[in-house]
Amino acid sequence: MAGVRVKTVADPYSEHAKDWAEKLGIEQLVSNHEIIFNDAEINCVFICSPTDTHTTMIKAAAKAGKNIFCEKPISFSDEETIEAFKAVEKAGVKLQIGFNRRFDKNFDRVKKCVATGKIGELHILKITSRDPEPPGLDYVKSSGGLFMDMAIHDFDMARFVSGSEVEEVYVQGAALINPEFASLGDVDTAIITLKFANGALGVIDNSRKAVYGYDQRVEAFGSNGAVEIGNETETLAKLSTNSGVELDQPLHFFLERYNEAYIREVQEFFEAIQKDKAVPCSFEDGIMAQRIAQAAKLSLTTGKPVRVTKLIK
């Protein structure tokens, strides 16, 4: 990317990444991330660490005057997230949240069809999001669970595509793939219904294991029509013979499916810095997706619909 130089990468296991860093021409590979915050030459940082470290790093980076890109979610609590954002505001730096699906050309097309009224008034938004393999139990323990770790992308897409806030959430969930998830207070399969402020209704279905690949589909249905996107596949070839019809399976996982989206979100982050304009995915987007995830977890626990806490500006 023009005008951008990667100077330092910090990772607790940096000794295992020396060949990787050398191959990419990265100048410094260190184990202590504070080296980055203390480097006056560096003016932006990417925080791609476990969620429970995000707010501490955001505050440290902001204090050091760095612009910040932080992976989702910002934290597991409103208090920590708001405290981090206050540090960002005080420092006058930019903070972009890593909801990469906003930058996917397919989702963007659906949003534009809704926003421009091509399908009339939005009535139903359906999102299918299913991973090819479930994570290990050690990961689940610290991830925040299905709603905060996985479905949070879908909550952000629901707000993004509909152009409306989610007011209420109702969840049915179960541990159908790995019963041990239940012992951690989590599920691996869920149906989530949403009620939007604009009157539309939403349905999200999540699974931690789709044996055929990474299943990512969206449909927006309205008063004048519908728009939908299917899965990305390696090719569009369809083989038809007397024994059946064959299509390629969906791309394996998020790195393959959303490669272009990852590149675009980073490009737009740098552009916001270079042209001093607002970032395309803000603190507000981060905390509202987080609040929907919290409401979803509470709904699963109580068996009742839960109102989503509004953001008071």
Side-chain angles (χ1 to χ4, degrees), residues 95-310:
L95 171 65
Q96 180 170 322
I97 309 304
F99 283 117
N100 61 293
R101 295 182 193 178
R102 287 173 171 251
F103 303 89
D104 175 72
K105 61 186 178 183
N106 301 294
F107 286 115
D108 192 46
R109 174 63 171 157
V110 175
K111 176 186 172 56
K112 286 175 179 174
C113 287
V114 173
T116 57
K118 288 186 180 294
I119 63 166
E121 181 182 325
L122 179 66
H123 289 176
I124 299 171
L125 179 63
K126 296 174 69 176
I127 300 174
T128 292
S129 182
R130 304 169 185 163
D131 287 352
E133 291 289 342
L137 293 178
D138 286 343
Y139 177 85
V140 172
K141 289 175 185 176
S142 61
S143 69
L146 183 141
F147 306 113
M148 193 65 76
D149 169 59
M150 178 185 175
I152 196 166
H153 277 294
D154 307 309
F155 299 145
D156 181 65
M157 289 313 304
R159 294 181 66 247
F160 177 70
V161 171
S162 69
S164 180
E165 294 295 347
V166 175
E167 290 192 330
E168 189 176 274
V169 182
Y170 177 63
V171 175
Q172 287 283 330
L176 302 179
I177 299 160
N178 186 347
E180 291 187 66
F181 277 40
S183 67
L184 300 174
D186 197 17
V187 296
D188 53 34
T189 308
I191 300 293
I192 305 165
T193 58
L194 311 172
K195 185 182 292 184
F196 293 95
N198 64 6
L201 301 176
V203 180
I204 299 170
D205 78 84
N206 291 123
S207 173
R208 288 287 197 180
K209 186 177 181 180
V211 295
Y212 48 84
Y214 193 38
D215 194 353
Q216 301 281 288
R217 290 171 283 142
V218 172
E219 180 193 27
F221 172 81
S223 56
N224 291 337
V227 55
E228 63 182 290
I229 58 166
N231 285 306
E232 292 273 320
T233 55
E234 191 66 36
T235 73
L236 296 177
K238 181 169 73 171
L239 173 64
S240 301
T241 68
N242 62 356
S243 60
V245 177
E246 293 181 18
L247 299 170
D248 286 355
Q249 291 177 307
L251 296 177
H252 177 64
F253 210 6
F254 60 90
L255 290 176
E256 295 89 350
R257 170 62 179 83
Y258 290 115
N259 182 64
E260 290 182 16
Y262 280 118
I263 294 170
R264 186 178 157 201
E265 75 172 344
V266 173
Q267 287 174 328
E268 293 200 22
F269 173 58
F270 289 139
E271 185 178 320
I273 295 169
Q274 292 164 333
K275 296 184 178 180
D276 192 23
K277 63 180 188 179
V279 295
C281 191
S282 67
F283 155 77
E284 179 177 337
D285 298 315
I287 196 169
M288 289 313 299
Q290 182 178 306
R291 286 179 173 180
I292 299 169
Q294 290 165 344
K297 179 66 174 179
L298 184 57
S299 176
L300 179 69
T301 304
T302 63
K304 298 177 181 179
V306 174
R307 302 285 293 180
V308 177
T309 303
K310 293 181 179 180

Side-chain angles (χ1 to χ4, degrees), residues 51-92:
T51 299
D52 59 7
T53 67
H54 286 177
T55 56
T56 300
M57 290 189 182
I58 288 172
K59 288 184 284 187
K63 186 176 181 180
K66 316 298 187 190
N67 295 293
I68 305 158
F69 180 103
C70 183
E71 270 302 340
K72 60 78 203 168
I74 301 172
S75 78
F76 295 135
S77 76
D78 273 15
E79 293 75 19
E80 288 186 8
T81 294
I82 292 169
E83 185 180 322
F85 182 65
K86 285 180 178 177
V88 168
E89 277 193 315
K90 182 179 180 180

